[in-house]
Amino acid sequence: MIEICGKCDIKSMLPEELEVFLKELGQPGFRAGQIFSWLSRGCGSFDEMTNLPLSLRETLKSRCHLYAPNQIDRRSSSRDGTVKQLWELYDGNAVETVVMRYSYGDTVCISTQVGCRQGCAFCASAIGGLVRSLSPSEMLDEVLYAERDSGKPLSHIVLMGIGEPLDNFDNVMRFLDLINHPKGRGFGMRRISLSTCGLIEKFDRLADNQLQLTLSVSLHAPDDETRSRIMPANRGRGVDALMEACGKYMKKTGRRISFEYAMIDGVNDSEAQARLLAGRMKEIGGHVNLIPLNQVEEREFRPSRPENVRRFQQILQDSGVNVTVRRRLGGDLDAACGQLRRRVLHDGNAQV
Ligand code: SAH
């Protein structure tokens, strides 16, 4: 059982666990289904659960933590309809979610931690380090409330917001169980992507779960010198070990991995790096997503020049590597992970 403020975090419980919990309270089994159905719609107060007896609502209030996030900022892009929201959590911390509109449907990008301890040199989320990990219920609410705000069903979820999902492994796995549960939101695993900076020691456990989600690996450099410079998570692990772990994961799960590559001017966009990356991708059969770097005020890095992105892409394509250049959405919105949180916190509108 997950506890928040010394109480049971009821929104993080699966129906079968709820059933046991309610049985202990002397309640019939069907109450679990009723409660799970409320929670899977984002319900933030027992008073809203009008089909439960008053006495049960009072017991649950005294035993359980239940909260709904409070929207403290919302910005929408006039260019492409991207919506970025900042949510205040029960303890005054804040995380952001982004809804992006693609031709195939709306995608929500959720945070998995408040801050991040991985320290990537180009990323806004890393500034200030990790504050805490999110509970499964908090991640669930990010999706449910983004969906409520958007007014229509979301088609994809990406775990690419603030935080490192594999550094919050158990809570992320439980969140996936909750969002995917047929008695709840029933969100298809194949429509979910999880992005990691490459905590390879967790790959085996992830593969063992045989989830049908897409794993994205933030590669950003094909050589150890560059990758260790911009991604401390590479130190002590290395690109060779990462590729080996990815190969093993693909073999075990039968699922392809997509590799993220944020193009940074003069850092990771040379012809030699394109050729090295092509070699690694051909060996492993990975798909490369080139992303123009989102410039973060506090960081010295600049996005690659468009002609260098094109040259890089061409080298990969000429080697037969599957490559796409991701469209930049929400560029007018502080769209890089953690940028909105930092901006609003700096303006003094929320606590850290
Ligand atoms: N910690 C996870 C997921 C969160 S970051 C990971 O590292 O994958 C989601 C993606 O955004 C990662 O690929 C990350 O490297 C990338 N990213 C972070 N800051 C960025 C920036 N300023 N511009 C472009 N991509 C960025």
Side-chain angles (χ1 to χ4, degrees), residues 41-296:
R41 281 177 273 145
C43 180
S45 142
F46 291 110
D47 290 327
E48 287 171 38
M49 302 186 181
T50 45
N51 55 354
L52 301 187
L54 255 176
S55 58
L56 175 57
R57 283 188 243 164
E58 291 306 319
T59 309
L60 293 175
K61 266 186 218 172
S62 68
R63 302 275 301 257
C64 305
H65 166 90
L66 182 58
Y67 187 79
N70 177 29
Q71 189 189 74
I72 44 178
D73 201 282
R74 182 186 190 278
R75 295 171 194 204
S76 73
S77 163
S78 50
R79 291 186 213 157
D80 52 42
T82 299
V83 174
K84 188 152 195 170
Q85 299 181 79
L86 192 69
W87 301 104
E88 185 182 48
L89 308 172
Y90 71 90
D91 58 358
N93 277 304
V95 287
E96 54 198 66
T97 61
V98 187
V99 174
M100 294 155 292
R101 316 219 179 266
Y102 292 104
S103 53
Y104 52 79
D106 292 353
T107 297
V108 65
C109 175
I110 66 162
S111 300
T112 53
Q113 295 181 310
V114 181
C116 185
R117 68 168 123 221
Q118 304 306 324
C120 295
F122 45 84
C123 179
S125 306
I127 306 168
L130 176 69
V131 179
R132 70 167 172 88
S133 285
L134 293 185
S135 66
S137 56
E138 288 171 325
M139 291 180 260
L140 180 71
D141 277 341
E142 285 187 73
V143 176
L144 300 175
Y145 281 78
E147 192 158 55
R148 197 179 272 192
D149 178 86
S150 130
K152 58 178 184 323
L154 296 165
S155 75
H156 289 77
I157 300 172
V158 295
L159 278 65
M160 291 190 184
I162 301 172
E164 165 54 44
L166 298 188
D167 190 36
N168 186 16
F169 193 92
D170 292 338
N171 285 353
V172 165
M173 292 306 122
R174 179 171 281 267
F175 153 71
L176 294 172
D177 282 346
L178 288 168
I179 196 79
N180 176 248
H181 203 288
K183 288 185 182 156
R185 173 62 182 76
F187 208 103
M189 268 311 170
R190 285 181 182 264
R191 293 169 173 268
I192 301 178
S193 297
L194 183 155
S195 179
T196 177
C197 63
L199 303 187
I200 50 179
E201 59 281 10
K202 307 279 174 69
F203 279 27
D204 268 342
R205 268 178 80 197
L206 186 64
D208 287 342
N209 288 349
Q210 287 293 345
L211 303 172
Q212 295 298 301
L213 52 70
T214 299
L215 181 62
S216 285
V217 169
S218 302
L219 186 58
H220 304 323
D223 59 287
D224 279 325
E225 196 190 324
T226 313
R227 194 162 191 271
S228 290
R229 179 154 82 88
I230 59 176
M231 299 182 71
N234 193 62
R235 299 175 198 156
R237 293 188 177 97
V239 181
D240 284 347
L242 177 59
M243 291 300 120
E244 201 184 312
C246 289
K248 210 170 145 200
Y249 178 90
M250 289 199 253
K251 219 171 172 182
K252 232 170 161 176
T253 60
R255 314 259 324 148
R256 284 250 252 163
I257 292 180
S258 112
F259 291 88
E260 307 291 309
Y261 201 101
M263 303 229 25
I264 312 174
D265 187 38
V267 174
N268 64 359
D269 60 353
S270 72
E271 281 183 35
Q273 283 161 322
R275 280 193 294 273
L276 185 55
L277 177 63
R280 290 200 183 273
M281 289 300 111
K282 277 184 75 177
E283 213 174 304
I284 196 165
H287 174 110
V288 179
N289 243 323
L290 296 178
I291 318 153
L293 183 82
N294 261 310
Q295 199 159 326
V296 175

